[in-house]
Amino acid sequence: MRPIQNSEHEGEPDDAPSNLPRRGFLRSGPALAAALALPALAPLSEAQAADLWVASWGAAPAGPPPAASTMTLSSQTLRLIVHSSVAGSRVRIRISNEMGSTPLTIGAARIARRSSGAVTVAGTDRQLLFGGRSSVTIAAGAAVLSDGANFNVPPFSDLAVSLYLPGSVRVTTLHNAALQTSYVSTAGDRSALQSLPVSRSIATWPFLSEVDVSGPYSGLSASSSVVALGDSITDGQASSANANRRWPDMLARRLQLELGVSGNIGVANRGISANSLLKDYPSAMLAGQKALTRFDRDVLGTAGVRWLIVLIGINDIVYSSGSNPIPVSSLISGHQQLVSRARARGIRAIGATLTPFEGHVYYTAARENVRKGLNAWIRTAGNYDAVADFDLALRDPARIARLRSTYDSGDHLHPNNAGYQTLAQAVRIDLFS
């Protein structure tokens, strides 16, 4: 796979102005001042590390699904498989009933390292409590954090979060495109069993929206987290299932491998397939609330967030009129709001350019002009603290509105595994050091 070069070694985009600043570097003026105003990361004492929570895994909740396709559980246990990014010696989880219309009772919650399938590693199972109690009822529209529990979370490990749901439960809050197999038990509280008796497998993440870590692991402590906010390309659509080949997964590996001891940074993937920046679709709630609405929950509410990478807007373009699409100015205003709200909380915002889609069923020349216009603004306006030029990374040099064939999953919009790896390579790691 061809590595992505830094801007000083590679030509600027063909559609960019000649005075384009070098890609990925912090901008001048207010954006630079705000970035430099962020407090430096100082080494943490052991006591401080124990109190600092950092997201090691995250998914954005959505829903409710259409009534006809809503899964109903009857006193069963979910065993949800997730993949950690950063390590810690303590753990807690966030459970969401934010799309539910009735209270949700969690009868028991446990976490363990996953061995394979629905089987956990012997001796790693830990009970999770809520205010010291083994069960909790979550009001409709609300979420809860568990208490912290002593539990060693290695980096890049599969975790099994088991939730026993007593009574009849409709799964109205979930992340739909998990690209990961999880499991539903036979009837009963099976949360403490090493081998879950499986009644069915699922490819969604019901109710679970975050796993946080704190405390030192192998002498190192997680320091902060990155949130990747986006749509299906951040969600990893068309990447290999059960393989953690989304670009945020591979960025997490780069952070640890290339930054060494300073790379104890978690990554929370808040992409939702079909999500938009500016508009909700009442008939397609699994696409999630628009990014402007969910920003506080999915970005500001993420434990330890210090950086934000934004890749969103293509669905606003392709779902608008093919001949008279959404104005570039509307998308720019939405992005400006995201940056302003991030900066108000001391979060550094990195803007990613929208990737090519010529050949896709929704492609029109008018829509392409909007994509190009937004990309030009992301590159040159200086609103974002830095830029990840995903468009340049994936496009075919001979036909710049189209994905390079070696990165195309086949639908001319979503990358394949190699394309997602290339996106992870296009983010400058020194921005996080």
Side-chain angles (χ1 to χ4, degrees), residues 33 305 315 377:
V305 58
N315 289 321
W377 177 83

Side-chain angles (χ1 to χ4, degrees), residues 12 46 67 71 85 115 139 141 149 256 270 290 304 343 357 402:
E12 299 297 350
E46 187 169 334
M71 179 170 62
S85 59
S115 173
Q256 293 226 356
R270 304 300 195 185
K290 59 183 178 286
R343 190 165 292 142
F357 73 116
R402 183 180 290 264

Side-chain angles (χ1 to χ4, degrees), residues 64-72 170-172 200 283 286:
S69 59
T70 300
M71 179 170 62
T72 298
R170 289 173 59 80
V171 179
T172 52
R200 62 179 294 188
S283 62
L286 289 177

Side-chain angles (χ1 to χ4, degrees), residues 354-374:
L354 302 187
T355 54
F357 73 116
E358 183 183 18
H360 189 264
V361 64
Y362 289 137
Y363 179 87
T364 67
R367 288 171 174 155
E368 170 64 7
N369 285 336
V370 177
R371 185 187 74 91
K372 289 172 63 177
L374 179 61

Side-chain angles (χ1 to χ4, degrees), residues 281-341:
Y281 294 92
S283 62
M285 293 309 295
L286 289 177
Q289 297 168 321
K290 59 183 178 286
L292 286 175
T293 297
R294 65 187 184 93
F295 185 85
D296 287 7
R297 180 196 68 203
D298 291 343
V299 179
L300 303 185
T302 299
V305 58
R306 186 174 172 87
W307 294 274
L308 166 68
I309 304 175
V310 177
L311 174 64
I312 199 158
I314 196 65
N315 289 321
D316 298 80
I317 295 172
V318 301
Y319 295 155
S320 63
S321 168
S323 58
N324 186 28
I326 186 171
V328 175
S329 59
S330 296
L331 293 172
I332 290 173
S333 294
H335 277 262
Q336 288 173 325
Q337 277 294 309
L338 298 181
V339 175
S340 295
R341 290 160 68 181

Side-chain angles (χ1 to χ4, degrees), residues 67 114 257 389:
R114 196 269 288 261
L257 292 173
D389 205 333

